[in-house]
Each structure stands twice: as structure tokens, then as C-alpha cells.
Amino acid sequence: MIPDLWYKNAIIYSLSLDAFQDTDGDGVGDFRGAMRRLDYLQGLGVTAVWLAPFQPSPRRDHGYDIADYYGVDPRYGSPGDFVEFVNACHQRGLRVIMDLVVNHCSDQHPWFQAAIDDPTSKFRDYFIWADKKPADADKGVVFPGVQKSTWTYSRKAGAWYFHRFFKFQPDLNIANPDVQAEILKIVSFWLQLGVSGFRMDAVPFLIAQDGINIADPAPAYGLLREIRAMAQWRKGDAVLLAEANIPPDEALEYFGADGDRLHMLFNFPVNQALFYALASADGELLKDVLRASAPLPETAQWANFLRNHDELDLGRLSEEQRQTVFEQFGPEPDMQLYGRGIRRRLAPMLGGDRRRLELAYSIMLTLPGSPVLRYGDEVGMGDDLALPERDAARTPMQWSGGPQAGFTTGDAPVRPLIDHGPYAYREINVARQRADGASLLNWTERAVRLRKELPEIGRGSWKVLDTPGHILALRYDWEGETSVIVHNLLGEASEFTLALDRGEGDQRDLVCLQTDERVAAEADDHYVLILQPYAYRWFRLGGLDELVRPHGSQH
Ligand code: NOJ
């Protein structure tokens, strides 16, 4: 039997409840608000919603500092509202994925409080301690500039504790079997309440067993298998989608050579190479990274994205490549972050140029894997560089040009709305774009629909076709269907040839799904294509709508 690999063609929409839709006027988005917008999301064509952390938290890192793994932050509603939200999603065929943040918890979590209060408490060993400040305490910092060290002294505990991220996020000690059991219980709890899976936070750090030996931690890959096994016992088609910014050659360790660890990984190397391709019009790095990202076990899948709630991390590019992206998309110092990233939204990075936005989206939607959209990018929302750090790209959703952009009836939104310049909510909003058939919103909706009509992209085998450096051409094959997706990274028109090797007797034309034009092969079985500046074309051999006569049939 073919297992239900729904996630291999999922269209995932990521949102933070606090910035999406408020209903009670306190300026903080909530579950009831998000529920009201589910028909919008369904109309956009997404099939799964990824919720940023919504559990009780001091929210010193946007909720990635959890103080109670089993609760709902009252600002977002009650546990009952959560369950209603999940039900409302299911009624519309939408799945819910939530963050699983178990590399660390908040220093306000009762486990940590018990651990610092009492050295004999069993919770002491839930964390990682040292009597003296470790020699490499200043190494391995994730947020340079805003995080000083990875070890902090607790006066109450009389010892140093390890924290990969901010000092209010003590790392959990996963070498402790009790901590592992806690993680499995959390997974089990939320699956039981109806979620379809988890976006697992900071996985390389989670499985790095030895906090003290930062330079060379031994990864506990086996833990991933246990979490997966537990998740699938509870719910057969549950998925684990990992945030793991790792080089392509480590990916199989995360997926498991037999596909028995994580189902999905965000493809960070591809994300960075894609921005380099957009910045330089040179697609060779992207093609190399794509080739290095294959092949995967049958049940494994990449998740592709343009922007997320963090900075655009360029840490895997060479210094020269990174500078090229900075120059193009984040030239000012306040656009950059941690020396390696850009804290802007997609639309301003691309200068609001509709052709380049479509190009970027078109590539992301058709890369091998499943696409993950970021709330607001479907209307081309901007950023607010006056906000600190990563908050620049976390402003409230711009629903309309009315008061507070339709986000809240109150007058104090959780973060300020963008109200000036070309990305102000009076200019850029859902209501206006809904009414305009040519808007980015309606373009995105059509593109998502077409992506769903090409299941070979998520399920099939694929290869990068030979083309000039500024042309990206990918071919997908699955169950007798073939699609060919081409992109021109250059701001100039370009003509090129494609060799397809269709197989003997196969005379099918390439049919462009955006224009319904047919391109016939030349006598030598090559196709000649012309792409306008920054243009894209999604082709299906034979098109989407003609039934193919079985090969060799006489009738
Ligand atoms: C990764 C998350 O994406 C980021 O937002 C967060 O600050 C860190 N993990 C720590 O949880």
C-alpha cells in the first residue's frame, strides 16, 4: 500500500497568532481571529497552517521561550479555543502544524525554577550545569551582538547553566532519559488534540548531546527516530518538519537512510543559494546545491521557503557571495543582522518589482519539495526597520486600508502597523488586492492552484537540466507525467535549447500552463525556448487536460 505522503505536496502557510487577526481588541491576535480567516487561507489554496509557539511564555523570544508545554497563552485564547481552531481547520481540509521547542525552555518554566531552587531536585539534571565557567563559554553564540555567551551563572543555583540561545532559554539535557520522556509526552499530547505534526525548533542543537563540548558535540540522531516512532504510534500520518540549518551532505542523517527519522527539513542551503541566484542572476550555485540535495528516501521531503519569521540567514554562502546578496537586498547596516543575515521582508528586498517577486515565488513553489509561505508575503507586505532585531518582519497582517488595517479593533497593536511609505497598509492590503484580478494576491492564488495540479513536483524524481547559468530548468517525472519548469534569472530576454529525452515514440509537445501555448520539439528532439526578462514558464508534456493514450495502443 502506498503510504499517505500528504506532506510531500502540502502548501504550508506560516503565521504567528499575535500578528494575524485580533478579535477582542487587546491588540494581540488570537485563535478566534485566526479562525475567522480560515476561509481566506483555504481560498488561497494552502493545505496546512504552521503556528508559531502559542503556549504560555514570557515571550522574550517571540514565544520560543516556553513556560508551560501543555497550555495555551491566555492572550491567544483558551485550550478550548485551540481545539475549536483545529476543528475549524479540519472542516476545511486544512492541517495544523505547531512548533515543538524542546531544545530549551523558558527560565520561568517550573522545571528550571525547581532546578535552581534545590540542587537535590530531580529537575536539576533536566539542564546542563558546570561549576566553573567553561573555557569556551563565549563560543557557539547564535545571536552575536544581542547574546553574549552560551553559559550564564545562576546565583540561586550556585552554578553555570548552558543556553545555546538567549540566557533566559536554558537548554534541556536530552541525555537525561526523563527529559526524553517529557518530550515524547508533549508530542503525544498535542497530537491527541488534533495537530498533524510539528515544526521542530533548532534540531541540530537539540540533538547535540554534550553542551559542554560545543566544538564537537556528538549528535543523538537516535532521539529523532524515537520521536518519530512515538508520533506515528499516536497518529499514523503525523509529520516532523525540522528547522536544521545544515549542509546538504548531513541531511541523510536527519532523514535517516531508511527514512525513519525526520520527514521534512527546511532546505536552508537552497534558500541561501536562491537569494544568491536572485541577487547575481547566476544560478550555478543553486543548481549545485540542488544536485547535492538529492536523492532522498521515499518518505523524506524538503520544505522550501523564501522568508520566515527569522532573519534571512546567509551564513552558508562564501564571504563574496554574501556581500553580493547584501549589496542587492540589504545594503544598509540596519537591514543586516548578526553579521550574516538580512531582517527584511521579501517585497522590499526585491524593490517591490512585481516581475522579480513572481520569479522568486515561482522558483520557490516549483523547487523539489513542499512550499512554505510566510503570512503577508502573498500581498507583498513590507518591514519596519525601526523595530528591534527580527521584529522588523513581524508586523501585523494588513487586511484592509481601514483603521488598524482590520487587524484589531483596539488602538494598540502588538507591534506597530506599517503606516507610511510604499508598503503602508493603506496601499498594500488584502481587501484591495482581493478586488484586483491582477494583484499579487490573485497571482499567488493561481500559482498555488497550478502547483497543486503538478503533484510530480512533490512526489516525482527530478533533475536539473543543462542550460546557461542564468536559466534554471527543472524536470519532474511521476506516474507517466513530466513537467519542465524554467526560470530566467536575468533582466534580459534569453533564448536557449532544452534536450528532454522523452523516450521512444513519445511525440508530446511542451504545453505552457500559464499561456496554454504549445512548443513542439525540433527535428533533433530539442526544444527552443525564449524567456522574457525575469520570466518563468511551467510546462507539462502533453498539457494538463488531454488524456494520454496508453503507450503502444492502436485505438
Ligand atoms: C529558531 C527560531 O526560528 C528562532 O525564532 C528562535 O529565536 C530560536 N530557534 C530559539 O528558539
Side-chain angles (χ1 to χ4, degrees):
M1 204 182 81
I2 301 173
D4 179 3
L5 303 179
W6 63 271
Y7 53 92
K8 296 197 82 168
N9 270 309
I11 315 276
I12 302 171
Y13 187 91
S14 84
L15 66 90
S16 305
L17 282 168
D18 69 348
F20 201 56
Q21 178 69 67
D22 179 29
T23 49
D24 58 10
D26 68 353
V28 181
D30 42 46
F31 274 114
R32 302 207 69 76
M35 236 162 100
R36 285 202 197 169
R37 296 297 184 180
L38 290 180
D39 295 310
Y40 166 81
L41 294 180
Q42 192 193 26
L44 188 57
V46 308
T47 62
V49 178
W50 154 30
L51 296 176
F54 53 78
Q55 289 112 320
S57 156
R59 299 194 61 75
R60 296 178 66 192
D61 180 16
H62 211 63
Y64 284 91
D65 46 338
I66 293 178
D68 172 7
Y69 285 105
Y70 298 105
V72 169
D73 189 322
R75 303 191 322 160
Y76 302 142
S78 65
D81 291 328
F82 167 78
V83 169
E84 283 206 359
F85 171 82
V86 175
N87 270 324
C89 285
H90 290 173
Q91 277 169 17
R92 292 164 177 81
L94 298 169
R95 297 176 187 259
V96 179
I97 294 173
M98 63 183 278
D99 252 283
L100 179 68
V101 189
V102 289
N103 171 69
H104 50 268
C105 59
S106 161
D107 60 359
Q108 301 306 306
H109 194 290
W111 295 338
F112 191 69
Q113 289 298 316
I116 57 174
D117 279 350
D118 176 5
T120 65
S121 149
K122 78 164 197 157
F123 295 110
R124 186 75 159 203
D125 195 36
Y126 271 39
F127 300 92
I128 299 161
W129 300 96
D131 293 335
K132 289 203 201 88
K133 183 175 183 178
D136 54 5
D138 301 332
K139 297 214 179 84
V141 160
V142 175
F143 304 126
V146 281
Q147 176 195 2
K148 288 195 186 67
S149 165
T150 48
W151 288 87
T152 292
Y153 185 69
S154 160
R155 225 174 322 141
K156 244 185 176 179
W160 297 77
Y161 64 92
F162 177 66
H163 51 90
R164 174 58 75 165
F165 297 97
F166 292 113
K167 67 177 180 196
F168 51 82
Q169 291 166 316
D171 270 43
L172 287 162
N173 175 18
I174 58 127
N176 178 346
D178 289 347
V179 171
Q180 296 194 10
E182 299 278 8
I183 295 175
L184 297 181
K185 221 159 51 170
I186 295 163
V187 165
S188 178
F189 177 84
W190 291 104
L191 286 173
Q192 207 72 31
L193 287 188
V195 302
S196 294
F198 301 90
R199 177 266 188 196
M200 285 179 69
D201 189 63
V203 173
F205 301 133
L206 170 69
I207 62 173
Q209 295 206 63
D210 190 353
I212 301 171
N213 184 6
I214 295 166
D216 187 21
Y221 294 115
L223 177 64
L224 301 178
R225 201 165 53 80
E226 275 174 44
I227 298 177
R228 176 175 183 149
M230 163 61 101
Q232 289 193 196
W233 272 112
R234 290 287 176 266
K235 193 175 218 166
D237 61 355
V239 296
L240 302 175
L241 160 59
E243 183 212 19
N245 187 347
I246 47 149
D249 61 359
E250 283 177 29
L252 271 189
E253 294 284 11
Y254 286 78
F255 288 126
D258 301 326
D260 57 352
R261 294 174 184 165
L262 300 166
H263 302 81
M264 301 180 82
L265 289 181
F266 284 105
N267 203 334
F268 281 93
V270 157
N271 173 261
Q272 306 186 22
L274 168 54
F275 274 92
Y276 177 70
L278 293 170
S280 66
D282 175 1
E284 292 303 346
L285 175 71
L286 177 58
K287 295 178 199 181
D288 285 347
V289 178
L290 280 170
R291 288 188 193 103
S293 300
L296 300 181
E298 170 67 13
T299 56
Q301 181 67 315
W302 292 111
N304 296 306
F305 61 104
L306 288 163
R307 291 291 289 109
N308 61 19
H309 63 292
D310 289 325
E311 79 281 10
L312 167 65
D313 188 336
L314 303 171
R316 299 208 166 274
L317 298 181
S318 71
E319 187 53 36
E320 204 184 325
Q321 291 160 347
R322 189 165 38 251
Q323 288 312 324
T324 303
V325 183
F326 276 154
E327 269 163 38
Q328 289 290 316
F329 300 146
E332 304 298 332
D334 74 338
M335 298 171 173
Q336 301 173 8
L337 200 60
Y338 315 135
R340 57 159 195 258
I342 300 180
R343 62 191 196 111
R344 305 179 79 192
R345 278 261 191 183
L346 181 69
M349 275 197 281
L350 298 178
D353 182 337
R354 178 66 182 266
R355 293 174 309 171
R356 300 187 81 188
L357 281 169
E358 288 186 17
L359 176 74
Y361 253 117
S362 170
I363 296 176
M364 193 273 282
L365 285 168
T366 58
L367 284 172
S370 302
V372 183
L373 318 182
R374 173 83 179 135
Y375 84 88
D377 278 358
E378 73 272 29
V379 289
M381 266 175 60
D383 43 54
D384 180 353
L385 296 176
L387 295 179
E389 235 205 315
R390 293 164 291 165
D391 280 0
R394 296 171 176 174
T395 60
M397 181 70 178
Q398 297 175 186
W399 294 106
S400 76
Q404 308 291 356
F407 163 69
T408 177
T409 53
D411 48 20
V414 61
R415 284 175 291 284
L417 279 149
I418 296 178
D419 62 1
H420 55 277
Y423 300 96
Y425 66 85
R426 287 183 195 85
E427 306 296 326
I428 303 285
N429 62 63
V430 170
R432 182 184 272 197
Q433 295 198 19
R434 193 188 277 121
D436 172 4
S439 66
L440 183 62
L441 175 64
N442 280 310
W443 179 89
T444 307
E445 188 181 318
R446 288 192 296 274
V448 166
R449 180 171 63 229
L450 203 50
R451 167 65 181 76
K452 288 159 91 175
E453 289 192 271
L454 297 173
E456 59 267 32
I457 296 181
R459 294 295 300 264
S461 61
W462 57 272
K463 67 176 183 185
V464 180
L465 300 175
D466 285 337
T467 51
H470 61 280
I471 300 288
L472 174 68
L474 289 164
R475 169 185 176 149
Y476 294 92
D477 288 280
W478 189 56
E479 297 201 332
E481 301 292 3
T482 298
S483 56
V484 176
I485 316 284
V486 292
H487 290 98
N488 180 9
L489 297 163
L490 204 61
E492 287 166 28
S494 185
E495 181 178 307
F496 58 99
T497 58
L498 273 186
L500 271 197
D501 187 17
R502 287 174 300 181
E504 211 174 319
D506 186 346
Q507 294 298 317
R508 288 178 293 172
D509 294 337
L510 278 180
V511 180
C512 174
L513 305 176
Q514 274 93 15
T515 61
D516 202 30
E517 281 163 323
R518 307 183 79 90
V519 184
E522 304 287 309
D524 64 355
D525 219 27
H526 280 65
Y527 292 85
V528 178
L529 299 177
I530 299 174
L531 284 180
Q532 294 307 311
Y534 301 125
Y536 53 90
R537 289 281 179 260
W538 302 7
F539 294 102
R540 222 334 154 71
L541 263 187
L544 273 173
D545 305 300
E546 283 156 47
L547 293 178
V548 186
R549 201 190 288 162
H551 223 51
S553 154
Q554 301 302 313
H555 309 289

